[in-house]
């Protein structure tokens, strides 16, 4: 599904020659910088692999930088790509804000920036060419709908949030809140960030279970890795994950499926990290000066223990 305004990225005239020399043979090899926010959950590793694989398939030289979850490192990586004169930049941004100055540098250098997986907030949308991402609000809503059905609209919920300020953390929270609003007996009794990481999800759940243990009937985690950490904490507290505490999360990575097959994780809302092909199609279009959608929304599905075993062999990440 394509959404939002159709615009033309106008900052790419200089690069059009490079591109026309490249993809269909001849000329100079295309060079693309990819700034990845980090590598410490299954989803992000899969996204990096998808982008690396697609670059290799297309004969594109990929300059890769892992910012190790540090925003200043990510900004420095983009400045460095600009200084190296890459043809285009693919950016998986940590948080929504703080990008304007570096994106202005890229625009001045006529280097198109393709955003993947997370959106940003800028006053001038021409600072990036396009965004390819899931609808995180819809994912949160799907998680809430599933949980409402499973619990008959009655649950005391711990919410494990993603990285503060990151689009999926903000939007998945909103979507879930919207979804449970119709159910007065579904309450979020505690919410804390687990930073999209297994270890942090475990640590936060341990603390929250100590505080609210007997009241907790469900956990909503903004990603599978935090849910998997929560499952470890629930077991350590002597409770049965998937039975005494119902767990719903987002991503649907292989490890999430394995946990559903074991009867621990109850439900995973899909968020695909396989964005490489779409990202490089966007690079091509931006470099050619083609018109294209400002945002491409990736479609996601919902899996639970009833569908996990059948789907597991098909999972690519
Ligand atoms: O932006 C996508 C989210 O970020 C994924 O759900 C999560 O696992 C990742 O770190």
């Amino acid at each position: 599904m394509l959404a939002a305004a159709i615009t033309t990225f106008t900052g790419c005239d200089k690069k059009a020659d490079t591109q026309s020399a490249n993809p269909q043979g001849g000329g100079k090899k295309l060079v693309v910088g990819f700034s990845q926010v980090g590598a410490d959950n299954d989803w992000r590793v899969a996204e990096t692999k998808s982008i690396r694989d697609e670059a290799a398939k297309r004969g594109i030289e990929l300059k890769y930088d892992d910012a190790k979850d540090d925003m200043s490192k990510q900004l420095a990586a983009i400045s460095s790509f600009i200084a190296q004169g890459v043809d285009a930049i693919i950016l998986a941004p940590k948080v929504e804000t703080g990008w304007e100055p570096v994106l202005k540098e890229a625009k001045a250098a006529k280097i198109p920036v393709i955003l993947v997986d997370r959106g940003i907030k800028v006053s001038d949308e021409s600072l990036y060419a396009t965004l390819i991402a899931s609808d995180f609000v819809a994912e949160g809503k799907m998680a809430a709908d599933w949980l409402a059905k499973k619990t008959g609209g009655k649950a005391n919920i711990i919410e494990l949030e993603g990285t503060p300020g990151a689009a999926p953390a903000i939007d998945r929270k909103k979507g879930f809140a919207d979804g449970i609003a119709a159910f007065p007996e579904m309450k979020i009794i505690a919410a804390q960030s687990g930073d999209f990481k297994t270890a942090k999800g475990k640590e936060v759940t341990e603390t929250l279970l100590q505080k609210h243990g007997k009241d907790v009937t469900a956990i909503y985690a903004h990603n599978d890795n935090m849910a998997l950490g929560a499952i470890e904490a629930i077991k350590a507290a002597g409770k049965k994950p998937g039975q005494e505490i119902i767990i719903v999360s987002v991503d649907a990575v292989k490890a999430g499926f394995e946990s559903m097959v074991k009867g621990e994780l109850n439900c995973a809302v899909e968020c695909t990290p396989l964005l490489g092909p779409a990202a490089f199609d966007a690079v091509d279009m931006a470099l050619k000066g083609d018109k294209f959608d400002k945002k491409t929304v990736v479609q996601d599905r919902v899996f639970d223990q009833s569908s996990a075993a059948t789907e597991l062999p098909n999972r690519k990440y």
Side-chain angles (χ1 to χ4, degrees):
M1 193 179 94
L2 300 173
I6 295 178
T7 60
T8 310
F9 183 76
T10 50
C12 52
D13 330 356
K14 183 189 84 173
K15 303 290 163 184
D17 292 336
T18 315
Q19 171 64 8
S20 57
N22 177 50
Q24 271 82 43
K28 186 178 150 246
K29 197 170 185 176
L30 204 69
V31 181
V32 174
F34 172 38
S35 169
Q36 175 59 287
V37 56
D40 44 17
N41 67 45
D42 298 27
W43 191 97
R44 221 138 269 291
V45 172
E47 182 189 50
T48 297
K49 182 176 181 324
S50 173
I51 287 176
R52 278 189 193 280
D53 288 355
E54 192 63 23
K57 196 168 139 195
R58 296 182 187 218
I60 291 170
E61 182 184 333
L62 190 74
K63 290 185 182 292
Y64 172 69
D65 184 86
D66 170 2
K68 300 192 166 40
D69 263 347
D70 180 336
M71 175 78 179
S72 62
K73 285 203 176 93
Q74 201 163 27
L75 292 170
I78 295 165
S79 292
S80 159
F81 291 151
I82 297 168
Q84 293 172 66
V86 298
D87 295 295
I89 294 171
I90 298 174
L91 166 61
K94 178 177 164 91
V95 290
E96 287 189 331
T97 54
W99 300 101
E100 208 125 348
V102 83
L103 293 185
K104 280 183 180 156
E105 279 178 45
K107 188 175 179 183
K110 300 189 189 310
I111 298 171
V113 175
I114 312 301
L115 300 177
V116 284
D117 92 66
R118 295 180 180 179
I120 58 171
K121 288 203 178 354
V122 278
S123 58
D124 172 7
E125 285 210 327
S126 77
L127 290 177
Y128 64 90
T130 191
L131 163 67
I132 300 156
S134 289
D135 180 339
F136 298 136
V137 176
E139 289 172 348
K141 172 84 170 46
M142 287 191 265
D145 290 349
W146 184 90
L147 190 61
K149 205 168 164 200
K150 174 79 180 170
T151 61
K154 250 185 161 179
N156 287 333
I157 307 157
I158 285 180
E159 180 172 10
L160 296 175
E161 301 169 346
T163 305
I170 296 166
D171 292 352
R172 286 175 187 162
K173 186 171 186 67
K174 182 185 180 327
F176 189 80
D178 291 350
I180 64 168
F183 300 93
E185 290 183 273
M186 289 182 83
K187 295 186 190 89
I188 296 170
I189 57 171
Q192 204 173 313
S193 172
D195 206 17
F196 288 125
K197 296 179 177 69
T198 306
K200 198 78 203 293
K202 181 179 178 192
E203 186 191 308
V204 169
T205 307
E206 270 164 6
T207 310
L208 294 178
L209 284 180
Q210 275 164 20
K211 206 167 164 199
H212 304 278
K214 55 179 179 2
D215 299 326
V216 182
T217 60
I219 291 185
Y220 164 48
H222 290 191
N223 83 346
D224 288 348
N225 280 83
M226 292 190 294
L228 295 172
I231 286 168
E232 288 177 33
I234 293 167
K235 286 181 184 171
K239 293 202 168 204
K240 287 196 180 69
Q243 294 175 34
E244 289 167 280
I245 298 182
I246 304 298
I247 306 141
V248 54
S249 66
V250 187
D251 276 359
V253 296
K254 238 180 218 166
F257 272 85
E258 285 159 0
S259 180
M260 284 193 280
V261 170
K262 275 201 271 175
E264 296 181 343
L265 180 64
N266 295 85
C267 171
V269 176
E270 187 177 49
C271 175
T272 185
L274 306 178
L275 303 176
F280 285 102
D281 283 351
V283 166
D284 279 357
M285 290 171 79
L287 292 175
K288 283 181 190 143
D290 288 348
K291 285 186 179 181
F292 57 108
D293 293 353
K294 198 70 192 176
K295 182 172 179 186
T296 298
V297 179
V298 180
Q299 291 302 292
D300 300 312
R301 296 166 292 171
V302 179
F303 297 96
D304 62 15
Q305 291 180 357
S306 69
S307 52
T310 313
E311 175 64 11
L312 180 56
N314 306 326
R315 297 313 285 173
K316 294 197 169 61
Y317 62 92

